[in-house]
Every structure is written in structure tokens, then in C-alpha cells.
Amino acid sequence: MYEAEAGTPAQGAAVRSLTSAPTTPYSSAALEASGHSYVHLDGTGQSVRWTNTTGRPISFLNVRAGIPDSAAGGGLTATLDLYVDGVFRQALNLNSRQSWVYEGNGNYNTSDDQNPADGDPRVFWDESHTFVTGSPIPAGATFSLRKDAGNGASFYDVDSVDVENPPAPAAQPAGSLSITSCGAVPDATPTNGAAASGSVDSRAAIQSCIDQAQSQNRTLWIPPGTFYVKGTQGLNARGITIEGAGLWYSTVYRDVPVPNTTPLAALFDLTSCTVRNFHIDANAVSRSTIGGDGGAMDTTGTDWLAEGIWTQHTMSGFWASGTGGTVRDSRLTSIWADGINVNNVSLGADTGNDLTVTGNFVRGTGDDAIAVNSVAYNTDSDGSRTYYHPMTDVTVSDNTSIAPWGGKGVAVYGGSGHQVRNNYISDTARYIGLGAGRFGVNGSDLLSATLTGNTVVRSGGNAYSQGQPALHIGNGGDGQNTGTVDDVTVTGNTVTDSLYDGIGFSTSTGTLLKDNTVSDPGRNGIVISPPFYPAPTGSATVTGNTVTGLTAGATAYVDNSAGFAATLSDNTWPPPAPEGPFGGTPAAVPGTVQAEDYDTGGQGVAYDVTSVNGNANSYRADGVDLDDTADTGGGHNLGWTGGGQWFRYTVDVAAAGTYTLGLRIAAPSAVTGALHLADASGADLTGPVDLPATGDWQSWATVDTHVTLPAGRQTLTLFQDGGGWNINHLVFAAQDAPAGTDLAAGRPTGESSHTDVYPSSNVTDGNRATYWESAGNAFPQWVQVDLGSARSASRVVLGLPAGWGARTQTLSLSGSTDGTAFTTLKSSAAHTFDPATGNTVTLTFPATTRRYFRVTVTANDGWPAGQVSDFQVRDS
């Protein structure tokens, strides 16, 4: 397998790579590519070249590539030219008929939408194979794929090319029964994503031959050629051997009319059969009935064997149960769902014991590449349940699992006694690379398994914005945090370049994590209860593991659970970073402190959370409680609040004094006593802060309170006393101490009108976060204060909440001794409230003695009402 990015691009061809972990749950060509990288050809003459370093001739190529979708969806066909030592050799057929599905417009994680207008595409890659025309490519020669003028696609993305020199076609076994003797007709026309025109339906002939082979106890022979099975019916065999001339030569192709409405069984339903050495392909365009997608082989029985089978474009490769069966030395590429799923339910069985999956190559599956799937029960159409025996003693060994675009690399779901060893797993696009757990609410508990000697590279993913780890142990399969996972031994595995956390634990007991190596994780090394994989209880022994290559702010070992008992010993990893300001520099006060920039130091040091659910995975290595904000300015906010959680912030305070604290919050419903801010000694600086309803998790408002701080560097702690709100930032604004005495503080008020919960009493309560707001769209409006007796004053200071945006109100000031006859103290004029200057306006006038002071508002460019949060009457 030659990766395109390891070749030599020429004439402007460009290597395109995944440069950071995904920040959205959607796909990209790089994310779905092997190596998370590929070469893009979009100009005539552009190419990518390799040298044949195999030491042998190359006579067969399998190219993993992508070309554009058609404008209306459904794909197109094109050619790409092969050169050997710089000389044109042949044009290779490529197509996009069985790629390019879309997830936008409410279609996330489906594969039926072929409408490009819906956006958010996935399934960028398909595979095409052919023999090399003419003499094989000799050892040491160069070969290249080049976009020439005659190659009609606007671009070609090349992911990889597999090279080999297959043996000659195998001869028909003595005494076997050839399907051609029963009337099956081979077709030599390349399929290229769809059935060849004029091809003959051989289904009835093949089934007739199967029936004869069964009755005569003979081997069924599939000679070289492509044999079509058309329509919605498959083939059924029991207790026989079905053999082909080789997976490069003998093909059974399923051609289903699309769109299809008839539920499909697998192409082959097999009981206690041996199948070997042929190729299965299909015209399916999605993983469901409408797309014409049925499985390749559903298998059960005893001592069955599948070897040397190459499967493409079917729903699943092998869906297999029974006792003593083996899938070995097979290839599964461009599969719509699972590659190899060994289970205890296929074809009505209720057992899955002593099954073996070994030596297989799986690439580009739309669900798990390889899965051990022990089902506890299924619910029948009448609501009753059918129960199954838990699977036992399954071996998954020495397989290669690359670039599943819609599932895990290798997954163990339930049962006991399983051995998963020496597998290579890489480049998952969305999910866990290697997992040991339970599948959903109806899966069997996992009661013992051993995962040893496996290599997991560039794995994990951001499906559903979860930031999943590369290797995972525990329940919680596919969002169902239920069931028992016990006695899992994970030893001697290597996890490299994970997109997020290297190894994660959800609820599980008795796990032994020993002598594993995690290098260069995208987030943290080993994590108890990573985001979306809670571990409120559990136990594990973590010993002899090594973590290296941590990024700034990441931690080798993180325990986010107070109830998970982990015993640590003899591990080699850097100590956790001490608490300190995020980014190394304390936030300045006065100024803005971003809520997502809590201190470094990890759980129990810089923050304390009861669960981690954050999805802003590219920003903080710990992935805690952050999401992308819709607030003005973008960035991230702190979310998933809960009572008892806290976050620390190191700040530098320029000068001692009282500061207005503007909390930028979003809350679907009002929260009483939501939070408070404390200093390093634990002293409460704000008292309980109530939050109003903003209507949605991403509808933002500013709530003001006050804090008194000493000068210098200090640590402040934001305590979440109740949940149900998000916070984007904290603004500390210095308060100028006005001269004189505020004669209006706490005094009665009056108003022309008010709306909702914003009466005039808010203007003298000393809280800048509360305010008077008049009825809307009806000027003039007024608000007044009653000093109780006539007092001498020369200045009125009006304020709005410190976090509000700038606005200009047109207003006048008048005074009265009896509350009835008012004289003008300040004529009507436009006054701007600007947060940069404290969001206050000062009205000065010659000293006068009045009991009542009234502000009349006739216009407001920030809101169609009069607004005042603070009404001070000063005596000097």
C-alpha cells in the first residue's frame, strides 16, 4: 500500500492533510483518508509518482481515489492516466457513483441523501482495481497517476494505491461443479460503479448449481469472469464449499434496481459452508434498502470458513454467527456498514462461540471495520423479546483496519473470553479506534476480554461533537451509559497520534491497564471519564504505562470521576502542570476574563467538575465543559454548569478598589443563586448572583454585580452553585468614586410606565445589573426619585449596566418641590452611554434645592424605550 502523500507530487499537485483535530462533527476528505492525508490533482499535467520498492514486479493496481459528484448528485465517471517510467501505459476507470452522500439539512450520520444542495458531504473515497496493461511494472521502476487533458473530472484526489503481482487464476478443482454448467454467463465488461449494460442475470443458474452441489456433495466452482445476480433475491447454500479462481478473477456482482423498496437479505446466506477465493461487488449507493444495499455474506453454523474473499460496496462484508467459524485473509474495501461483524444472531442463530477473525484487510467502512457483537436480546414486532446466549472466546488477531468513515476500527461489544491481539488500526474518521464495552441497552455485558499488542494510530473522532478517545474501555456504547464491563485486560498496546485523548475509561470494573504506550495524543494521555463517556463508578489498575509527547496544557493522566477507584503504580509520564494562568499570563483587571481561559493544572487543581461534556475540543486539551459560542465575537463559552463545580482564574489587579463585574451569561430559564465569586481564601466576594432567563443556551445577556479586590496577582474562583446556564466572559470595570453624597440612594421612585420586571425602583437599589425600562415604542417616558425633603444638589449621574453596548438617549432633567410643578434643570439633549467610559452620563447644573428630580426620555437608539439602571443625585 503506497500512500499518495508519501509519493512525489509534480506540476503543482498538492498534498492536503488534516492539520488539527476536527472542530465540527462533520467529515472532510482528509479526515476520511488513510493517513489523514492525500494528493489533490486539479490541473492538466499534475501527477503523483512512486517507485516500485517491492523487489517484485507489479501487475495489479487498486487505487483509492475520489472525483467530484455530479451537479445534481448520483456521481459521474472519468479516467485517470497511469504512467510507467514516464511513459503512458493506460487510462484507469474511476467513478463517484458510490460516494458523495450529504449530511446537511437534518441528515447527520445518514448515508441516503445524494442531494448536493444539502451540503456537509461525506464518503469521499472509492476504490477501483485493474491489471496493468502490457508488461508488469518492474522492480525499481517509477509509476505515476497523472491528470491529462483527456481525463474529464475537474479534480482527482488520490489517497493510496495498492500494488501486487497476483498468481495465475486457480484451476477448477477436480470433481467440482461449475456455475457455467448450470447456465451462468460471465461478463467481461468493467462494472465501474454500476452493472454493465446488457449483462445477464445468473441468479437462478447459480442457485440451481448450489442445489445440485449440495445434493451431490460437490464443490461449487466460480470460474473467472463477472457473474450477475440481479433483483432483490440472494443465494442460499448449506454445507458445501464455494470456490473461485481468485479474488482478482472471479466476481459475483449484485445488481439491485435503485431506488429499491424491497428489504434485502445478504447476497449469500450460508450455513456451515466454506467459501474462498472470489470477489463480491454490488451497485449499492447507500447502506439502506432504498440504496439497494444488502450484505455480502450472512453466515452461521459450525466450523464454517471464509478465506480469500474480497468484498466491496455491500452493506456488510461478513455478518456471521455460530460455533468454530473463521474469517481469514480476506479484503473488505468501501463497505457501506460493518466490514466483519461476528455475532450471535445471524440467520436466526443464538450463539457466537470460538469464532476467529484473522489476517484480514479492512478499509473504508461506513460502520465498524471489525466488531464482536454479542446481543442480549432483540425486541420482536409484537413487543416480545428474543434472548441470545452471550458470545464467548472470539479471537480477533493480525488484522489491518484502516480509515473507517462511520464506525470503530475494532470493537468488542459484550460476551467473555475474547482475545484481540496484534491488530493494526488507523485513521478512524469519527469514532473510537479500539473499544471494549457493550453495545447499547440490548447488548450483552462484557465480562472478560484481553486486548494486547495492538497498534492504534491517528484514531478517535468527533462524531456528535464528542471528541472520542482512540482506545476506550467501558460501557456507554453509542451513547447508552448502561451495563457491566468487567475484567478487561489491556496490555502492550501502542496508541499514537490520537485525535483527542489516547485512552479513555467510562464505567467499568476490574480493568488492568498495563505496559501500554501513548505517544503524541491530541489531548490528554489516559483519562477516567473523558467527555461524553462518564464513569461515576468503576475500578482499574493502571501500571507500567508510558505517556510521551503531550501538547501544551495537556495532562498524562486525568481522573474526572470522584467515584472511580484507580490504583496507579510504576507509570512513566510527565507530572501534571502546576496551577497557573492559561497561556502563561494572568488576565488583567480591569479588563475581560474569558470563561474558557480557566487556569491550567487539571481536575481538582484548576477546576472541579462532576462530568465532562465539552465539545470545543480544539481549544483546551482537557475538553472540559466548553462549546462554541454564538455570542458576539465568537470563540468559546463555559457550559454544562452544575452545583458544586468550580473554575479558577489567575488575574493581575492594577489597583485596589471596587469593580463592576459584568457576567456575560445565557440561561434558558431564570436561576436563583446560580453562582458566586470567591478569593483565594474562600471569602465570598459577590454573594449569590441570580441570573435572569435569556431564553436559550446561546441567547446572551449581561448581569452586573460588584467585587472589591486588593491590588496585585491573585486567584479568583467562580463557583457554580446551581446549574442551567452558560457563561462567556467576566468583565471587570473600575468604578470612579463620585464626589459628594448620593442623596437618591435607596429613596422612593416614580415612573411614567415600566415593562415586564423592570420597575423604577431598580434605579436606586445600588445594583447596576437591575434597571428601569419603560413601555416600548411610546415616547416620552420619565423616571423620578423622591429625596423625602427638599435637598440641595448640583449633579445627577445616570447609569446603564456595565456590560451593555453603547447607546444614545435623548433626555432632559427637571426638578420639583411638590411632585406636581416641575421646572427644567437640564434641557433636552442627546447623551451617549458608552461602556468604554463606564456606561454613565453626568448632568451638571447650578446648585438648586428640590425634593423630586425627574429624567424625561424622548428617544433611544439602542432600544425603543427609556432605560436607566442607576439614578444618583449628588450634593456636590
Side-chain angles (χ1 to χ4, degrees):
M1 177 180 172
Y2 286 90
E3 289 284 2
E5 63 271 20
T8 303
Q11 300 299 313
V15 174
R16 294 185 174 178
S17 302
L18 188 71
T19 57
S20 61
T23 58
T24 78
Y26 294 99
S27 291
S28 67
L31 187 62
E32 293 185 5
S34 61
H36 288 327
S37 191
Y38 63 97
V39 171
H40 180 74
L41 315 175
D42 64 4
T44 300
Q46 292 183 355
S47 66
V48 55
R49 184 182 73 251
W50 304 269
T51 299
N52 178 5
T53 57
T54 65
R56 294 172 290 175
I58 297 170
S59 60
F60 186 90
L61 302 177
N62 180 63
V63 177
R64 190 170 198 246
I67 63 174
D69 196 2
S70 60
L76 50 79
T77 61
T79 58
L80 182 62
D81 289 344
L82 170 68
Y83 285 74
V84 177
D85 283 335
V87 178
F88 172 78
R89 179 63 67 90
Q90 71 196 84
L92 308 180
N93 290 322
L94 304 179
N95 75 86
S96 56
R97 290 166 165 167
Q98 295 172 287
S99 53
W100 292 98
V101 297
Y102 300 89
E103 297 185 279
N105 199 22
N107 291 290
Y108 184 70
N109 213 22
T110 63
S111 62
D112 291 325
D113 186 352
Q114 294 183 298
N115 179 14
D118 286 333
D120 293 317
R122 72 190 301 203
V123 194
F124 296 90
W125 305 103
D126 201 0
E127 307 197 12
S128 301
H129 55 264
T130 187
F131 280 93
V132 175
T133 300
S135 60
I137 302 169
T142 64
F143 61 101
S144 57
L145 299 177
R146 191 168 89 178
K147 175 177 166 36
D148 286 331
N151 302 139
S154 61
F155 69 80
Y156 295 80
D157 290 335
V158 181
D159 184 27
S160 61
V161 56
D162 308 330
V163 303
E164 57 188 319
N165 189 33
Q172 180 176 350
S176 64
L177 181 63
S178 173
I179 61 174
T180 56
S181 69
C182 300
V185 179
D187 192 298
T189 305
T191 54
N192 202 25
S197 176
S199 57
V200 174
D201 180 13
S202 295
R203 193 204 72 81
I206 297 172
Q207 186 61 58
S208 176
C209 252
I210 290 172
D211 296 341
Q212 293 178 50
Q214 289 175 175
S215 64
Q216 299 168 24
N217 197 26
R218 298 170 68 183
T219 293
L220 183 73
W221 169 248
I222 303 175
T226 299
F227 297 88
Y228 281 87
V229 174
K230 293 178 175 283
T232 58
Q233 290 184 283
L235 303 166
N236 299 277
R238 188 178 187 91
I240 63 170
T241 295
I242 303 175
E243 191 164 339
L247 52 81
W248 312 271
Y249 307 106
S250 301
T251 297
V252 181
Y253 190 98
R254 187 172 206 175
D255 179 20
V256 177
V258 174
N260 173 51
T261 59
T262 303
L264 299 173
L267 174 60
F268 285 92
D269 279 2
L270 305 172
T271 302
S272 302
C273 289
T274 293
V275 291
R276 60 166 62 99
N277 299 336
F278 61 93
H279 176 230
I280 295 174
D281 203 349
N283 70 321
V285 295
S286 78
R287 69 171 288 173
S288 61
T289 298
I290 193 172
D293 202 4
M297 290 186 173
D298 283 3
T299 299
T300 193
T302 58
D303 299 326
W304 52 263
L305 172 65
E307 66 176 346
I309 303 294
W310 188 354
T311 305
Q312 295 183 279
H313 304 121
T314 58
M315 176 182 280
S316 57
F318 300 96
W319 185 262
S321 62
T323 301
T326 299
V327 181
R328 71 185 178 210
D329 301 334
S330 292
R331 305 179 187 180
L332 301 103
T333 57
S334 296
I335 302 295
W336 283 107
D338 289 354
I340 302 171
N341 185 305
V342 289
N343 56 67
N344 54 345
V345 296
S346 178
L347 294 180
D350 72 345
T351 55
N353 305 327
D354 300 303
L355 304 177
T356 300
V357 178
T358 186
N360 302 286
F361 180 89
V362 188
R363 180 174 55 205
T365 59
D367 212 320
D368 297 336
I370 300 172
V372 179
N373 180 18
S374 184
V375 180
Y377 67 86
N378 279 323
T379 302
D380 303 322
S381 59
D382 62 1
S384 62
R385 290 180 176 179
T386 298
Y387 288 87
Y388 308 93
H389 292 92
M391 297 177 70
T392 61
D393 302 318
V394 175
T395 298
V396 178
S397 65
D398 303 292
N399 302 283
T400 298
S401 171
I402 298 176
W405 50 264
K408 300 177 180 66
V410 173
V412 178
Y413 301 119
S416 62
H418 307 318
Q419 297 285 323
V420 179
R421 60 177 182 263
N422 303 331
N423 300 284
Y424 178 84
I425 301 157
S426 73
D427 306 306
T428 56
R430 290 193 170 178
Y431 292 92
I432 291 160
L434 173 59
R438 166 178 155 158
F439 190 88
V441 294
N442 68 323
S444 302
D445 291 332
L446 179 61
L447 300 182
S448 62
T450 298
L451 282 56
T452 185
N454 301 286
T455 300
V456 185
V457 182
R458 294 179 299 271
S459 294
N462 203 33
Y464 297 97
S465 298
Q466 292 180 345
Q468 300 184 12
L471 192 158
H472 170 254
I473 308 103
N475 69 12
D478 298 304
Q480 303 292 338
N481 302 314
T482 187
T484 298
V485 173
D486 183 54
D487 192 21
V488 176
T489 297
V490 183
T491 62
N493 301 284
T494 301
V495 180
T496 304
D497 292 321
S498 60
L499 293 184
Y500 304 101
D501 298 319
I503 299 175
F505 286 85
S506 59
T507 299
S508 50
T509 53
T511 302
L512 174 63
L513 188 74
K514 181 179 180 181
D515 298 337
N516 301 282
T517 299
V518 178
S519 59
D520 302 304
R523 202 158 66 189
N524 299 301
I526 299 170
V527 185
I528 309 296
S529 189
F532 296 94
Y533 287 82
T537 61
S539 61
T541 298
V542 180
T543 183
N545 301 284
T546 301
V547 177
T548 62
L550 293 171
T551 59
T555 304
Y557 174 78
V558 178
D559 187 350
N560 291 318
S561 171
F564 193 102
T567 302
L568 277 62
S569 65
D570 301 317
N571 298 290
T572 303
W573 54 51
E579 184 186 0
F582 179 73
T585 303
V589 173
T592 299
V593 177
Q594 296 293 338
E596 65 269 26
D597 290 346
Y598 50 86
D599 285 356
T600 58
Q603 170 74 13
V605 176
Y607 60 84
D608 186 81
V609 294
T610 56
S611 64
V612 285
N613 303 287
N615 56 23
N617 298 301
S618 64
Y619 189 71
R620 292 294 297 261
D622 50 43
V624 171
D625 294 334
L626 304 184
D627 61 0
D628 298 326
T629 186
D631 196 9
T632 302
H636 312 290
N637 64 259
L638 191 66
W640 288 279
T641 49
Q645 298 188 150
W646 50 260
F647 291 82
R648 289 188 173 133
Y649 301 86
T650 300
V651 299
D652 271 340
V653 180
T658 299
Y659 292 82
T660 297
L661 174 58
L663 303 165
R664 190 66 171 169
I665 61 93
S669 302
V671 183
T672 301
L675 61 93
H676 73 278
L677 196 69
D679 65 15
S681 70
D684 188 341
L685 300 177
T686 61
V689 178
D690 299 336
L691 303 181
T694 67
D696 186 78
W697 293 106
Q698 290 295 329
S699 294
W700 294 91
T702 301
V703 172
D704 285 345
T705 186
H706 299 83
V707 293
T708 300
L709 301 174
R713 182 168 298 187
Q714 54 203 275
T715 300
L716 304 177
T717 303
L718 178 68
F719 283 92
Q720 299 175 1
D721 302 312
W725 48 279
N726 293 341
I727 183 166
N728 189 11
H729 55 242
L730 303 84
V731 177
F732 292 84
Q735 289 185 295
D736 294 327
T741 301
D742 179 12
L743 306 175
R747 301 304 303 173
T749 62
E751 63 190 23
S752 55
S753 67
H754 74 269
T755 188
D756 200 11
V757 292
Y758 309 112
S760 61
S761 57
N762 288 338
V763 303
T764 59
D765 65 0
N767 185 353
R768 284 281 296 278
T770 63
Y771 57 93
W772 163 76
E773 182 174 300
S774 71
N777 298 293
F779 291 109
Q781 299 285 346
W782 56 263
V783 60
Q784 70 182 34
V785 294
D786 176 3
L787 304 185
S789 62
R791 305 288 296 274
S792 177
S794 60
R795 189 157 51 99
V796 164
V797 180
L798 304 176
L800 290 178
W804 282 20
R807 68 201 62 208
T808 298
Q809 298 191 70
T810 302
L811 53 85
S812 62
L813 176 68
S814 57
S816 172
T817 57
D818 60 7
T820 301
F822 283 83
T823 58
T824 300
L825 302 178
K826 200 75 173 178
S827 298
S828 180
H831 296 272
T832 298
F833 295 79
D834 189 340
T837 56
N839 251 350
T840 62
V841 165
T842 300
L843 307 175
T844 58
F845 46 90
T848 186
T849 301
R850 298 288 191 274
R851 174 176 175 176
Y852 299 92
F853 287 82
R854 175 181 291 184
V855 169
T856 301
V857 182
T858 56
N860 182 351
D861 69 359
W863 194 255
Q867 295 173 311
V868 176
S869 68
D870 199 15
F871 192 148
Q872 301 178 23
V873 180
R874 292 281 170 177
D875 58 6
S876 63

